Amino acid sequence: MFDAHIAALVLHQRSAPIDARERLLEIVTPWSVIPDRAVLATCHRVEVYLAGAAAEGAGDLASDLGRQGFGDPLMRFHGREAVTHVFEVTSGLDSAVQGESQIRGQVRAMLAGAPRSLDPLLRRLLERALGLGRSLRGASALASVTRSVGSLAVEEVARLLSEPERAAVLVVGAGETGALAVRALSRRVKTVVVANRDRGRADALARSVGAETIGLADIETSLTRIDAIISAADTRGTLLTDSLLAPRLARGPLALVDVAVPRSVNSAARELPGLIYRSVDDLQGACALSAGEIERIRAACAHEADRFMREASERGAARTIKDVRMHADGLRLRQLDRALRRLGHLSPRDRRVVETLSARVMNSLLHEPTVMLKKQPERGEHARALFGMGREQS
């Protein structure tokens, strides 16, 4: 099988706690501007997708991260296995709620925020993953999956509250996860309050479900009437601090479900007496698909991965054939020029005969290698080595 020079480094909730994922995210976030790397960070995972030379060096990169404490939990995929993994992630099979659609929006946002110089192979991979996720959702049981991390957070809040139907819940963040939580809460609790950096976005969301809105600066004074909080905002501990929460906790317990990664509640606040704190790792995942449907979707991802690898192989073969011909023609022209300088007595007609002969000899010599490369494109690197050429760039 042709090696598409794609690799993935994965740190998932299943193998690494949230502390480790936060630490890795801090390390790899600057990599998102490097053309041969793409960084996907969600509630449950931090993943780095690599192409070209970076993919070939994935082992060294993993070893380096291993020396920083990520060795055992860090998973590494290469070639077809990496492509299949990206397709399964984007389809939602690897999510806490299997089949949820929010992951496609996160992959789409990652691709939209990538540099224009993003490696073409990596861009094609992500575009293909999004297209596959869209088609699977329209042609399988994925369309029936409506649960999300936001709904898991709402279920946890409802479980922690003694009387959810009489409770007031604050949702910090009106992005996709926060919006899903607000909509689910509106059917479970008495009052939903939305706080968001963009007040207009919060107002629009609140109007759609009959919720209230406040500014971030008003959270402290509003906490007196709040029974629980769901935080889905990337505030990295700067908003829900111990000094903000302590006065409210002096009045009684407070449930706080923090689905942000990095966490939006700082370490000092998480230890406050009376705070019932849950991170995304404390939420119980859900399987919304049957075993048979999961296997069908996995098979579709594997089939599409084979197709992607085959197309990458053919594309690589076409580039190799073109490069070999250009290399050979350059050699032909240099040797032809040397020969014609020694054959200055030839007439223009005879010179054209020699030129035509040189081109026909080159074409004859390249015919069999060209046919073989079309049949076995995975031998492209061998052809380059045989002709003394450098490695192909993706």
Side-chain angles (χ1 to χ4, degrees):
M1 175 63 72
F2 172 75
D3 182 356
H5 301 312
I6 288 286
L9 301 178
V10 178
L11 197 67
H12 196 278
Q13 178 196 35
R14 289 188 296 267
S15 59
I18 193 169
D19 292 311
R21 302 199 309 275
E22 287 177 336
R23 194 158 57 87
L24 180 61
L25 180 58
E26 186 176 354
I27 293 171
V28 304
T29 294
W31 296 358
S32 61
V33 299
I34 302 176
D36 56 7
R37 305 179 188 189
V39 178
L40 176 67
T42 73
C43 298
H44 295 92
R45 66 173 59 78
V46 177
E47 307 201 350
V48 181
Y49 304 140
L50 308 162
E56 294 175 27
D60 293 336
L61 195 56
S63 297
D64 182 55
L65 291 172
R67 288 189 288 272
Q68 299 180 60
F70 301 103
D72 291 338
L74 189 71
M75 296 177 285
R76 178 159 58 99
F77 303 102
H78 201 277
R80 179 189 181 278
E81 190 179 30
V83 173
T84 303
H85 173 77
V86 173
F87 289 169
E88 290 186 356
V89 166
T90 309
S91 70
L93 285 189
D94 202 42
S95 298
V97 178
Q98 279 194 312
E100 55 89 14
S101 61
Q102 190 176 358
I103 183 64
R104 279 197 297 123
Q106 292 163 327
V107 173
R108 191 180 301 111
M110 174 187 65
L111 183 57
R116 295 183 65 181
S117 57
L118 183 68
D119 185 281
L121 184 61
L122 202 51
R123 186 177 294 279
R124 285 194 297 272
L125 172 67
L126 297 174
E127 289 173 346
R128 181 68 66 84
L130 288 168
L132 176 63
R134 185 167 53 250
S135 63
L136 285 174
R137 193 157 187 86
S140 70
L142 288 176
S144 64
V145 179
T146 58
R147 300 180 72 190
S148 65
V149 170
S151 64
L152 293 181
V154 169
E155 290 169 10
E156 182 67 11
V157 162
R159 190 183 68 81
L160 294 172
L161 292 171
S162 58
E163 296 180 285
E165 68 280 359
R166 299 178 60 183
V169 179
L170 168 67
V171 178
V172 181
E176 188 172 4
T177 300
L180 291 169
V182 166
R183 295 186 185 106
L185 276 172
S186 66
R187 300 186 292 271
R188 303 284 295 271
V189 302
K190 181 179 180 180
T191 305
V192 180
V193 182
V194 185
N196 190 60
R197 186 176 290 108
D198 182 345
R199 183 64 179 267
R201 186 170 188 171
D203 288 339
L205 174 60
R207 280 195 302 272
S208 70
V209 295
E212 303 175 20
T213 60
I214 60 173
L216 295 182
D218 301 321
I219 289 179
E220 185 171 8
T221 56
S222 300
L223 282 180
T224 55
R225 63 189 178 103
I226 296 299
D227 301 295
I229 301 173
I230 293 177
S231 180
D234 183 11
T235 60
R236 307 196 180 211
T238 61
L239 181 62
L240 299 175
T241 61
D242 50 335
S243 60
L244 182 139
L245 294 173
R248 164 60 184 81
L249 290 168
R251 296 178 52 253
L254 175 69
L256 199 162
V257 179
D258 185 358
V259 296
V261 179
R263 286 166 287 188
S264 57
V265 181
N266 67 31
S267 57
R270 295 197 294 268
E271 301 300 323
L272 287 172
L275 183 68
I276 307 169
Y277 178 80
R278 300 286 187 271
S279 74
V280 70
D281 284 6
D282 298 316
L283 305 181
Q284 294 299 314
C287 182
L289 300 168
S290 69
E293 190 64 28
I294 290 171
E295 284 308 308
R296 281 191 289 276
I297 295 170
R298 288 196 191 283
C301 290
H303 175 75
E304 192 66 14
D306 285 337
R307 196 157 75 96
F308 181 86
M309 295 291 286
R310 190 163 54 250
E311 290 173 5
S313 174
E314 292 167 355
R315 189 177 289 110
R319 282 198 299 269
T320 298
I321 291 169
K322 177 182 176 182
D323 291 347
V324 165
R325 293 194 67 84
M326 288 179 63
H327 179 74
D329 199 46
L331 293 174
R332 178 186 73 85
L333 291 174
R334 285 194 293 274
Q335 294 302 320
L336 177 64
D337 183 63
R338 290 177 60 187
L340 290 178
R341 282 202 302 268
R342 295 178 181 179
L343 299 171
H345 61 284
L346 294 181
S347 68
R349 177 183 175 281
D350 290 339
R351 292 172 71 88
R352 287 194 297 273
V353 169
V354 173
E355 290 173 3
T356 300
L357 175 64
S358 69
R360 287 178 175 173
V361 169
M362 182 195 76
N363 289 333
S364 296
L365 289 172
L366 292 181
H367 176 71
E368 286 302 325
T370 299
V371 171
M372 185 60 67
L373 279 172
K374 288 180 178 179
K375 291 180 178 178
Q376 301 180 35
E378 67 275 8
R379 299 180 67 178
E381 294 299 344
H382 296 155
R384 288 176 175 275
L386 181 65
F387 285 93
M389 299 166 58
R391 299 202 67 176
E392 175 189 2
Q393 300 300 309
S394 299

